[in-house]
């Protein structure tokens, strides 16, 4: 993976403030350029990211997957729900390049159409857990004291609820079962982990010198949390969230398995993975397609997460 | 929640007959039991954790049922074909099929040394029939006179839940049971039941020793028994060990050194253990191995018809399935199922397309019931009937046919295949509605004055005793509205036909009449027959003589294993 | 610190009350009627149904049922399951084996996750890093069922290297394969978390200082980089202990281990409220202690983190 963080010659107007010791002379490090106006965190990050190949590769993959989710018709003209039992487990033929699953449905079409439900579930539940988890974890970790106690114990209580029980109860109370509802169910039990991780990361960061410095400069506590502490705690959150995205898509399969997931007429990778298990002894290859689609999606988000983390890391950024 | 329970007490199986029992074999007293030549190896069997104490009338699931069958001997037992033979009974006789005189053999003993007496049967049946004891098998004593008095009258809240007793039971015993001597007792039924003796091999009718009543809870953990085996140990959720009962001298003498039931929660796991040589007898082949197990297991593979029957119930309360148009839709839905293809493709041939409402293993079954053409796949005719029905009584444009099932077992694949067939052949929308737990299905099915379910639902039925009546009565008679007639099918014509069959002078004649009654079912289609189950099982090379009975349970006493 | 730990232990009480109340609310809202299901397709007689309902206090209103449960907890007599076994026995049977399995899984995922993660972080962007990324993707994308099934079929049945199932009273060897399967998903998390933290810390000032001091590379990596990278990893392991104990339904099923995950799942499906709430409550306690340990560990890893 190309990485220009270690570029030898800094661009004009920008200086490293931290760099690998073996490559940069002390004088260069100390020469902090103060002539340029301070820029926002995200603008900096963007400037950094757009020069990285990895960013464009992962962005292209994400665009590809999202395009598939929004306009599946662009990728196939075969219907994923037109299934004839006589085609059951049939091999590839013209127009059906991956062959057929047990029900006689076109595997390629199902892999394409499955993107919508699975990507929606994956992204939505990840966004939900990151928002709730980060908020609660950051407040608990940063402010500490009784706030930490209350929020952390609240997290513990939620952790106590077995996923299957809660899913059965929530799904049966709701008549409508769509990707949003599934995402909410997954999120209600996913946020506790990310809250703990955020809290831990914030605890580790909040005693850093730059936080003390910001305090000394009279910055408000909220501003310090938002501008300094959170960006520096982002790495584990991003890592956890990008991996969780994949596990959420697989978890949807667990719900389908229990009969409380998406309706059978909704095509999803999770559901197809679950169904493929039945034929694992005679046709294990059926599982490869939804699993590959899932792996590619997770890969693109993990790579994107890596790039974003690098870009947000003030130690690695040029000021 | 279950209004069906309001009706309990009306009599679940309303049958009158003066049939003389013919199926019952002669009273053998154990001379054909071969004590010599028996093997000494301990046979391991896959099983689930019994859900009830190890007492016949408390057990209503197959896991416990299999163990209980080995521990106790009843009046009669079934051989592999479902033919009834005497075990403890000397004779079971009646002149009118209503008052039965039962004599038992001398010389049977409980494992605590006390003799098996007629009173052991009567007391056990009284205990099970007395409402407050809460026996799971209480329903099996309903035909006996005095059952209603021993049960009392329950009270229901507005949702149909049992909320208390309107009338407490007025009797602690069933007035129809009477001990005549140590070896004889009489049973008076509320009405003639020609197949009563056939029922007596079911575990609910097993006797109990006097020791049972001292501490019923403790007894269920360490029972005193009279069957071919004795309980050695029960390690919950993992293992049950049985050893042969040396004192047993009946027809089911153990031919092995003992039984070791290993509890599994995943069939794939027990299959792996069988392949790896850790297990001798596998009761159920997992779905994933359906198409490979005969190759994998070779001579150890077992596949034979069983007494289980699957259908989709068409609820009577749905307007789209009422009247002439509704009748055409029922026919269309049945004809649009390609049973051959689904049983071959989805079940790898381990199910057999159904052509009636019972099962081929039951004496009297015939695949040739007039009207059963609707079970033959005919897409064109189905589409024609569906369209005709829509002209008579149009459905809304957004109509979606739903098939409801519990998903804690492998039902999703066939539901999807049936739905795809409907989508392709009838050009309608079709979806599965799944419920994660069995009690949620019950809840949905039985809610309100009518059921709540707004589509077809899965119905599976396994006979408790080998009799055609045991399918038709519980599933479709008015008397069973209180029990398992979940689609609320009501037909005076059908009920009359069942009554006539029960009154037939011989079992063969009765079976002809039962099959005639099925013609009415094919006309009305309260359910759409799908397929008969097969027993798909396997055994290792270490054991011989493995045979599965009509009820899909292995005849474990026969199995031999050399160490 | 002792004062802090004491206070944390006291907090178990409100969490216990809150969690049990929430759980009881959920089992109360659970659809269906478990007592009706006991009768199977045939149904129970009303008298039998009533007798069972009374025996399990299911005829009582919500708060009475909850109070019965609390009373049960404090007298160590939580009643019996629908099969007639004391709930206390069920807990005593399920927890030891699950705890052993979870610990083994944690050791496996921690050793390999941190080891691979550290090396991948040091070799960021190199072949090893990319290979490890692809492997972890595979583990994330395949459901546990598949990994367990394939391992059992290959390592257990075909090669015969490890026992196919654990069975009762499993020893270390028979728990090895289930522990590996159980560890797979968490391994991916730990690996990614470690790798990223290492990448982040490798450029930090204190590392530069340490290297400038002339410390050998290995010592810098373990003493400085790794130690400062462990906070998110330790947090995750704390969470994971709870998850592994409650969420090993699939793995326990595949290897026929009679532990908490499967027991809890069966109890939920059967509607055995007291068993569900009791098992979950023990899990909460385990979780609270795991988190307390994690918080104490924070202070060890990073002396700047202090608890008053």
């Amino acid at each position: 993976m190309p990485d220009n963080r270690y570029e030898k010659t800094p661009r004009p107007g920008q200086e490293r403030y931290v760099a690998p010791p073996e490559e940069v002379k002390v004088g260069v490090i100390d020469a902090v350029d103060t002539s340029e106006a301070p820029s926002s965190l995200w603008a900096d990050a963007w400037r950094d990211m757009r020069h990285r190949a990895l960013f464009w590769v992962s962005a292209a993959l994400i665009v590809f997957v999202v395009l598939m989710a929004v306009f599946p018709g662009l990728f196939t003209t075969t219907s994923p729900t037109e299934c004839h039992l006589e085609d059951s487990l049939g091999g590839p033929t013209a127009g059906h390049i991956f062959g057929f699953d047990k029900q006689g449905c076109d595997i390629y079409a199902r892999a394409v159409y499955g993107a919508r439900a699975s990507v929606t579930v994956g992204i939505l539940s990840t966004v939900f857990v990151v928002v709730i988890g980060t908020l609660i974890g950051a407040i608990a970790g940063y402010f500490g004291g009784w706030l930490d106690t209350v929020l952390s114990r609240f997290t513990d209580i939620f952790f106590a609820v077995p996923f299957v029980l809660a899913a059965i109860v929530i799904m049966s109370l709701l008549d409508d079962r769509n990707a949003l509802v599934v995402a909410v169910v997954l999120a209600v039990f996913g946020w506790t982990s990310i809250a703990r991780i955020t809290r831990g990361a914030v605890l580790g960061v909040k005693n850093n010198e730059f936080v003390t410095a910001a305090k000394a400069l009279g910055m408000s506590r909220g501003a310090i949390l938002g501008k300094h502490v959170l960006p520096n705690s982002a790495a584990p959150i991003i890592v956890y969230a990008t991996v969780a995205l994949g596990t959420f898509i697989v978890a949807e399969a667990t719900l389908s398995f229990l009969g409380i997931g998406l309706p059978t007429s909704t095509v999803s990778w999770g559901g197809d993975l679950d169904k493929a298990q039945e034929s694992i002894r005679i046709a294990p290859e059926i599982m490869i397609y939804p699993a590959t689609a899932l792996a590619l999606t997770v890969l693109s988000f993990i790579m994107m997460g890596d790039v974003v983390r690098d870009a947000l890391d003030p130690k690695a950024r040029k000021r | 929640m279950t209004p069906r329970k309001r009706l309990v007490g009306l009599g679940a199986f309303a049958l009158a007959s003066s049939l003389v029992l013919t199926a019952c074999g002669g009273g053998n007293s154990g001379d054909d039991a071969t004590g010599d030549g028996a093997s000494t190896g301990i046979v391991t069997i896959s099983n689930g954790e019994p859900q009830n104490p190890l007492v016949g009338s408390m057990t209503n699931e197959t896991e416990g049922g299999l163990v209980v069958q080995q521990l106790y001997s009843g009046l009669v037992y079934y051989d592999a074909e479902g033919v009834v033979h005497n075990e403890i009974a000397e004779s079971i006789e009646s002149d009118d099929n209503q008052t039965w005189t039962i004599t038992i053999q001398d010389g049977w003993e409980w494992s605590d040394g006390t003799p098996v007496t007629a009173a052991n049967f009567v007391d056990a049946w009284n205990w099970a029939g007395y409402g407050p004891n809460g026996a799971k098998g209480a329903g099996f004593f309903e035909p006996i006179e005095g059952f209603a008095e021993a049960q009392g009258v329950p009270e229901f809240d507005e949702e149909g839940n049992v909320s208390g007793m309107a009338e407490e039971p007025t009797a602690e015993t069933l007035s129809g049971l009477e001990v005549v001597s140590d070896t004889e007792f009489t049973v008076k039924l509320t009405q003639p039941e020609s197949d009563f003796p056939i029922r007596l091999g079911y575990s609910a009718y097993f006797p109990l020793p006097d020791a049972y009543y001292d501490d019923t809870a403790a007894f269920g953990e360490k029972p005193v028994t009279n069957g071919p085996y004795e309980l050695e140990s029960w390690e919950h959720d993992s293992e049950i060990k049985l050893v042969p009962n040396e004192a047993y001298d009946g027809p089911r003498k153990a031919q092995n050194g003992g039984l070791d039931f290993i509890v599994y929660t995943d069939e794939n796991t027990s299959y792996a253990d069988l392949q790896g040589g850790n297990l001798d007898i596998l009761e159920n082949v997992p779905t994933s191995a359906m198409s490979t197990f005969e190759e994998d297991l070779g001579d150890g593979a077992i596949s034979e018809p069983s007494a289980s029957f699957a259908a989709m119930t068409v609820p009577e309360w749905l307007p789209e399935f009422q009247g002439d148009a509704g009748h055409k839709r029922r026919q269309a839905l049945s004809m649009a199922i390609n049973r051959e293809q689904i049983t071959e493709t989805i079940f790898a041939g381990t199910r057999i397309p159904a052509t009636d409402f019972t099962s081929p293993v039951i004496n009297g079954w015939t695949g040739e019931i007039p009207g059963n053409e609707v079970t033959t796949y005919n897409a064109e005719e189905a589409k024609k009937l569906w369209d005709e029905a829509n002209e008579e009584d149009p459905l809304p444009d957004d109509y979606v046919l739903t098939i409801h099932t519990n998903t804690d077992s492998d039902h999703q694949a066939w539901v999807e295949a049936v739905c795809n067939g409907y989508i392709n052949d009838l050009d309608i929308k079709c979806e599965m509605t799944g419920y994660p737990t069995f009690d949620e299905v019950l809840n949905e099915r039985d809610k309100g004055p009518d059921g709540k379910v707004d589509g077809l639902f899965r119905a599976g039925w396994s006979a408790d005793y080998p009799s055609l009546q045991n399918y038709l009565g519980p599933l479709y008679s008015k008397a069973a509205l209180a029990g398992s007639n979940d689609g609320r099918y009501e037909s005076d014509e059908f009920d009359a036909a069942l009554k006539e069959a029960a009154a037939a002078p011989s079992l063969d004649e009765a079976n002809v009449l039962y099959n005639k009654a099925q013609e009415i079912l094919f006309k009305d289609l309260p359910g759409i027959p799908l397929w008969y189950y097969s027993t798909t099982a396997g055994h290792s090379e270490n054991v011989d003589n493995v045979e599965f009975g009509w009820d899909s349970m292995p005849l474990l006493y026969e199995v031999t294993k050399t160490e | 610190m002792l004062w802090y730990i004491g206070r944390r232990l006291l907090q178990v009480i409100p969490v216990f009350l809150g969690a049990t109340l929430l759980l009881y609310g959920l089992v109360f809202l659970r659809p269906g009627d478990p007592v009706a299901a006991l009768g199977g397709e045939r149904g129970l007689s009303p008298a039998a149904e009533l007798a069972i309902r009374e025996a399990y206090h299911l005829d009582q209103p919500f708060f009475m049922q909850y109070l019965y449960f609390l009373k049960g907890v404090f007298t160590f007599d939580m009643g019996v399951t629908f099969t007639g076994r004391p709930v206390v026995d069920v807990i005593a049977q399920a927890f030891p084996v699950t705890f052993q399995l979870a610990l083994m899984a944690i050791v496996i995922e921690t050793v390999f996750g941190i080891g691979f993660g550290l090396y991948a972080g040091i070799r960021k962007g190199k072949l090893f890093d990319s290979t490890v990324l692809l492997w972890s993707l595979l583990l994330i994308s395949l459901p546990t069922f598949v990994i367990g099934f394939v391992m059992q079929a290959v390592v257990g049945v075909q090669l015969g290297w490890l026992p196919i199932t654990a069975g009762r009273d499993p020893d270390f060897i028979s728990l090895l394969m289930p522990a590996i399967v159980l560890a797979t998903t968490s391994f991916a998390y730990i690996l990614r978390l470690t790798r990223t933290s290492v990448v982040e810390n490798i450029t930090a000032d204190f590392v530069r200082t340490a290297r400038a001091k002339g410390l050998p590379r290995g010592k810098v990596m373990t003493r400085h980089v790794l130690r400062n990278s462990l906070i998110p990893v330790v947090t995750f392991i704390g969470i994971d202990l709870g998850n592994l104990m409650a969420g090993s339904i699939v793995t326990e099923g595949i290897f026929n281990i009679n532990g908490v995950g499967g027991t809890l799942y069966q109890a939920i499906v059967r509607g055995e409220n007291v068993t569900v709430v009791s098992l979950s409550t023990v899990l909460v306690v385990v979780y609270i202690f795991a988190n307390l340990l994690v918080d104490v560990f924070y202070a060890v890893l990073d002396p700047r983190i202090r608890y008053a």
Side-chain angles (χ1 to χ4, degrees):
Chain A
M1 273 175 257
D3 185 352
N4 348 347
R5 223 154 22 93
Y6 297 105
E7 60 190 338
K8 294 257 155 61
T9 41
R11 282 188 300 282
Q14 291 187 321
E15 293 295 350
R16 291 174 181 277
Y17 102 49
V18 163
E22 67 271 27
E23 290 159 1
V24 186
K25 294 189 192 88
V26 177
V28 179
I29 295 166
D30 289 342
V32 176
D33 178 18
T34 50
S35 60
E36 200 172 284
S39 53
S40 85
L41 187 73
W42 286 101
D44 279 348
W46 166 240
R47 209 165 46 213
D48 180 84
M49 282 193 296
R50 67 183 176 187
H51 292 293
R52 300 195 46 191
L54 198 59
F55 169 73
W56 294 108
V57 173
S58 57
L61 261 175
I62 291 174
V63 168
F64 175 74
V65 170
V66 169
L67 211 59
M68 205 153 122
V70 182
F71 305 108
L74 288 177
F75 298 86
T76 176
T77 50
T78 315
S79 161
T81 49
E82 201 191 318
C83 314
H84 298 276
L85 265 190
E86 52 267 29
D87 297 329
S88 179
L89 301 182
T93 57
H96 305 282
I97 51 164
F98 293 161
F100 301 91
D101 67 9
K102 189 163 189 175
Q103 297 284 350
C105 313
D106 183 278
I107 291 175
Y108 172 69
R110 287 190 78 85
V112 169
Y113 276 84
R116 181 175 296 174
S118 293
V119 171
T120 314
V121 167
I123 293 183
L124 280 184
S125 33
T126 307
V127 168
F128 291 154
V129 297
V130 168
V131 170
I132 309 171
T134 311
L135 199 69
I136 291 186
I139 293 174
Y142 185 66
F143 293 100
W146 66 269
L147 209 52
D148 181 22
T149 303
V150 170
L151 289 175
S152 293
R153 300 298 80 80
F154 180 71
T155 314
D156 289 346
I157 291 176
F158 256 80
F159 183 83
V161 180
F163 170 66
V164 173
L165 172 67
I168 288 178
V169 173
I170 298 180
M171 290 308 253
S172 64
L173 291 178
L174 300 165
D175 279 337
D176 204 20
R177 292 176 184 175
N178 52 38
L180 178 68
V181 172
V182 170
V184 169
V185 170
L186 292 172
V188 169
F189 303 95
W191 69 266
T192 50
S193 304
I194 224 161
R196 293 280 312 169
I197 286 185
T198 309
R199 175 177 170 276
V202 167
L203 277 177
V205 168
K206 77 169 179 184
N207 295 316
N208 268 323
E209 298 83 349
F210 59 85
V211 176
T212 322
K215 257 187 215 155
L217 287 172
M219 253 179 118
S220 77
R221 297 225 284 174
I224 297 174
L225 178 60
K227 284 210 168 157
H228 295 285
V229 176
L230 261 185
N232 281 287
S233 318
I237 302 172
I238 290 173
V239 171
Y240 186 87
T242 48
V243 179
L245 181 92
T247 48
F248 282 136
I249 296 179
V250 178
E252 187 264 314
T254 310
L255 290 178
S256 299
F257 175 74
L258 293 170
I260 48 176
L262 297 167
T264 42
S265 55
T266 306
V267 188
S268 76
W269 295 334
D272 280 8
L273 270 178
D274 177 47
K275 274 187 272 183
Q277 292 176 9
E278 249 184 49
S279 325
I280 189 166
R281 281 175 215 265
I282 41 172
E285 69 277 4
I286 295 180
M287 198 171 282
I288 294 172
Y289 304 103
T292 309
L294 175 58
L296 267 184
T297 309
V298 177
L299 174 68
S300 60
F301 280 96
I302 285 184
M303 290 194 306
M304 181 58 91
D306 257 7
V307 180
V308 172
R309 190 213 64 80
D310 284 352
L312 283 177
D313 185 354
K315 295 191 290 295
R317 201 171 49 231
K318 309 107 212 155
R319 280 262 154 85
Chain B
M1 57 122 233
T2 46
R4 67 202 163 104
K5 283 173 191 128
R6 259 176 235 156
L7 297 154
V8 166
L10 298 184
F13 317 115
L15 295 171
S17 85
S18 57
L19 182 70
V20 177
L21 177 78
T22 52
C24 196
N28 74 50
S29 50
D31 13 31
D32 62 340
T34 44
D36 14 294
S39 59
T40 51
I42 292 169
V43 181
T44 52
I45 308 112
S46 69
N47 200 22
E49 165 79 359
Q51 296 302 303
N52 293 293
L54 296 174
V55 172
S57 58
M58 289 299 284
T59 297
N60 61 349
E61 25 51 81
T62 52
E63 292 85 2
L66 181 64
V67 181
V68 164
Q69 267 185 15
Q70 318 305 322
L71 291 175
Y72 294 88
S73 291
L75 291 167
V76 300
Y77 73 99
Y78 309 115
D79 66 14
E81 277 71 48
V83 179
V84 179
H85 301 284
N86 283 345
E87 189 160 6
I88 297 182
E90 184 74 47
S91 69
I92 302 169
E93 285 162 349
S94 175
D95 296 331
D96 56 359
N97 283 343
Q98 190 166 358
T99 306
W100 295 84
T101 304
I102 300 171
T103 51
I104 62 171
Q105 298 159 16
D106 239 345
W108 286 78
E109 253 183 30
W110 293 101
S111 50
D112 63 357
T114 56
V116 177
T117 63
N120 290 148
F121 284 93
V122 170
D123 292 345
W125 296 8
N126 276 329
W127 187 88
Y130 181 55
N133 289 335
K136 302 243 168 70
F140 287 90
F141 302 93
E142 204 167 345
I144 299 172
E145 216 175 66
F147 179 79
E149 289 77 14
Q151 286 284 309
V153 180
E155 201 173 54
F156 298 91
D157 62 19
E158 62 278 5
E159 282 177 320
N161 291 317
V162 193
S163 57
M165 297 304 282
E167 279 173 43
E168 293 296 325
T170 53
E172 280 191 37
T173 55
L174 306 176
S175 56
L177 296 175
E178 201 180 328
V179 180
V180 179
S181 72
D182 266 1
T183 55
E184 187 181 335
F185 67 103
T186 57
V187 183
K188 189 161 191 300
L189 308 180
T190 50
Q191 54 196 6
E193 307 273 4
S194 62
D195 63 353
F196 183 67
I198 300 183
R199 301 179 187 184
L200 296 176
Y202 186 71
S203 51
Y205 299 103
F206 288 163
L208 285 167
D210 292 335
Y212 176 60
Y213 310 98
D214 298 340
D215 183 349
T216 53
F219 183 92
E221 291 283 314
K222 188 79 185 140
V224 173
T225 58
N226 64 340
Y229 292 90
E230 283 173 46
L231 182 70
E232 188 182 64
S233 66
W234 180 4
E235 205 177 312
H236 283 279
D237 286 319
S238 81
E239 192 179 32
I240 299 177
K241 281 180 193 275
L242 306 188
V243 289
N245 172 7
E246 297 305 333
Y248 181 89
D249 192 24
R252 294 194 294 149
K253 183 86 181 157
Q255 302 298 308
N256 44 54
L259 304 175
D260 202 344
F261 295 93
I262 301 179
V263 175
Y264 288 90
T265 51
D266 185 333
E267 286 170 355
N268 278 303
T269 308
S270 39
Y271 191 75
D273 258 352
L274 178 73
Q275 284 184 303
N278 296 344
L279 185 71
D280 291 327
I281 298 179
L282 173 83
E283 275 195 279
N284 262 314
V285 171
T287 314
S288 68
M290 281 298 180
S291 48
T292 55
F293 82 100
E294 291 187 305
E295 202 179 302
D296 291 350
L297 304 179
D299 292 342
I302 294 170
S303 182
E304 58 190 38
S306 81
S308 298
F309 153 77
M312 285 193 296
T313 302
V314 188
E316 300 297 320
W317 57 81
L318 296 182
E320 65 265 34
F321 295 112
Q322 293 167 354
D324 185 53
H327 185 240
K328 282 185 175 142
R329 286 198 183 105
R330 286 167 190 254
Q331 288 179 315
L333 290 179
S334 180
M335 284 189 205
I337 301 172
N338 193 339
R339 293 172 180 75
E340 297 279 343
Q341 197 179 46
I342 294 176
T343 51
E344 267 319 305
T345 319
I346 302 291
F347 297 117
T350 59
R351 307 267 158 105
I352 304 145
T355 51
D356 83 330
F357 292 89
T358 64
S359 157
V361 300
I362 305 298
N363 184 22
W365 176 86
T366 159
E368 286 145 17
I369 312 267
N372 74 359
E373 306 83 59
V374 291
T375 60
T376 310
Y377 177 59
N378 187 339
E380 279 159 42
E381 184 66 18
K383 175 75 175 143
K384 204 182 108 215
L385 283 166
W386 188 268
D387 289 345
E388 276 176 30
N390 279 353
E391 271 167 38
E392 287 170 36
D393 166 35
L395 288 171
D397 288 341
D398 58 351
Y399 181 77
V400 180
L401 181 78
T402 49
I403 301 177
H404 300 244
T405 178
N406 48 319
T407 48
D408 50 2
S409 186
D410 289 327
H411 295 300
Q412 310 206 31
W414 71 259
V415 171
E416 208 178 325
V418 167
C419 257
N420 283 334
Y422 289 161
I423 292 167
N424 294 333
D425 295 338
L426 302 180
D427 196 21
I428 58 174
K429 293 193 189 89
C430 178
E431 239 173 46
M432 181 188 89
T433 306
Y435 304 98
T437 63
F438 181 65
D439 57 303
E440 199 180 341
V441 180
L442 293 177
N443 192 33
E444 292 290 309
R445 210 165 63 186
D446 303 332
K447 200 149 209 147
D450 287 331
K452 209 171 116 186
V453 168
D454 58 357
L456 313 183
F457 56 84
R458 181 191 79 82
W461 190 258
S462 300
D464 299 308
Y465 41 87
S467 151
L468 292 181
Q469 182 276 336
N470 194 217
Y471 295 85
L472 305 177
L475 283 175
Y476 302 114
S477 75
K478 253 197 259 188
L481 282 173
S484 35
N485 179 355
D486 297 308
R488 312 273 160 81
Y489 172 66
E490 291 180 60
S491 162
D492 292 332
E493 197 191 351
F494 179 70
D495 282 5
L498 284 187
K499 229 178 180 128
E500 198 194 336
S506 80
L507 200 62
D508 289 340
E509 282 163 89
N511 286 337
V512 170
L513 291 172
Y514 278 126
N515 284 329
K516 245 188 141 47
Q518 289 207 60
E519 291 175 30
I520 302 164
L521 294 183
F522 273 115
K523 215 170 74 212
D524 292 345
L525 285 175
I528 297 172
L530 291 172
W531 33 76
Y532 312 118
Y533 283 65
S534 290
T535 304
T536 47
H539 65 82
S540 71
E541 290 164 357
N542 309 328
V543 288
D544 288 306
N545 217 12
V546 179
E547 198 180 12
F548 276 71
W550 66 280
D551 54 359
S552 301
M553 297 219 200
L555 279 71
L556 294 173
Y557 61 91
E558 293 181 350
V559 178
T560 55
K561 182 181 183 184
T562 36
E563 273 173 309
Chain C
M1 190 53 122
L2 277 178
W3 166 235
Y4 173 77
I5 294 174
R7 220 179 44 196
R8 277 291 290 271
L9 290 179
L10 269 183
Q11 291 167 11
V12 170
I13 297 166
V15 172
F16 167 81
L17 288 175
T20 47
L21 200 60
L22 176 69
L23 282 162
Y24 234 97
L26 278 172
V27 292
F28 202 78
L29 284 173
R30 177 187 171 283
D33 178 357
V35 177
L38 293 178
E41 291 286 352
R42 212 172 250 286
L44 290 175
S45 68
E49 199 179 316
L50 196 65
I52 295 171
R53 247 181 248 293
E54 275 171 10
Y56 291 91
H57 307 301
L58 292 172
D59 51 345
Q60 306 276 341
F62 174 71
F63 264 100
M64 284 309 291
Q65 287 192 33
Y66 181 63
L67 289 179
Y68 271 115
F69 168 77
L70 284 187
K71 186 182 151 213
V73 171
F74 290 114
T75 54
F76 282 103
D77 176 17
M78 284 166 265
V80 294
T81 65
F82 284 143
T83 65
R85 286 184 70 195
V87 174
V88 177
D89 279 9
V90 175
I91 294 175
Q93 186 194 28
F95 269 94
V97 60
T98 300
F99 197 68
Q100 196 187 343
L101 182 65
L103 276 186
M104 283 173 70
I106 291 225
V107 169
I108 294 170
E109 70 195 37
T110 307
V111 169
F112 287 94
I114 293 182
F116 284 26
L118 176 62
Y119 196 62
I122 296 171
R123 313 279 300 162
K124 179 175 186 259
K126 301 282 164 45
L127 182 67
F128 181 83
D129 186 25
S130 316
T131 316
V132 162
L133 171 66
L134 287 180
W135 272 100
S136 54
L137 272 178
L138 186 75
L139 297 182
I140 295 166
S141 310
L142 286 177
T144 317
F145 168 83
V146 178
I147 298 169
F149 180 87
V150 171
M151 270 198 80
Q152 186 177 51
V154 176
V155 182
V157 177
Q158 277 180 18
L159 301 173
W161 289 351
L162 286 171
I164 300 168
T165 52
R168 62 196 177 289
D169 304 328
D171 52 13
F172 177 80
I173 293 292
S174 40
L175 282 179
L176 197 55
M177 192 154 55
I180 293 172
V181 172
L182 196 56
T184 47
T185 311
S186 308
F187 162 75
Y189 274 106
I190 293 185
L191 177 113
R192 301 299 309 164
L193 284 170
T194 311
R195 177 208 174 266
T196 307
S197 288
V198 166
V199 167
E200 193 166 60
N201 281 321
I202 220 163
T203 56
D205 299 349
F206 57 84
V207 176
R208 213 158 42 95
T209 318
R211 299 191 73 174
K213 276 198 310 201
L215 274 178
R217 191 180 157 82
K219 223 167 203 173
V220 175
M221 286 306 159
T222 47
R223 283 265 177 84
H224 294 273
V225 175
L226 190 59
R227 182 172 162 167
N228 283 283
S229 306
L230 279 183
I231 284 190
V233 179
V234 165
T235 315
F236 178 81
I237 294 171
I239 301 163
D240 207 37
L241 180 68
N243 279 335
L244 289 180
M245 293 193 63
S248 49
I249 305 169
V250 177
T251 313
E252 286 183 3
I254 293 176
F255 296 100
N256 210 28
I257 296 164
N258 178 17
V260 177
T263 310
L264 188 59
Y265 176 72
Q266 293 296 332
I268 291 169
V269 170
R270 289 190 196 127
E272 285 178 359
N273 296 357
V274 177
T275 317
V276 174
V277 181
S278 306
L279 282 170
S280 309
T281 309
V282 181
L283 283 174
V284 184
V285 176
V286 172
Y287 182 64
I288 291 173
F289 278 99
N291 279 346
L292 176 56
L293 265 180
V294 167
D295 275 343
V296 172
F297 219 71
Y298 284 163
V300 176
L301 287 175
D302 185 347
R304 287 174 303 187
I305 298 177
R306 297 227 181 282
Y307 301 108

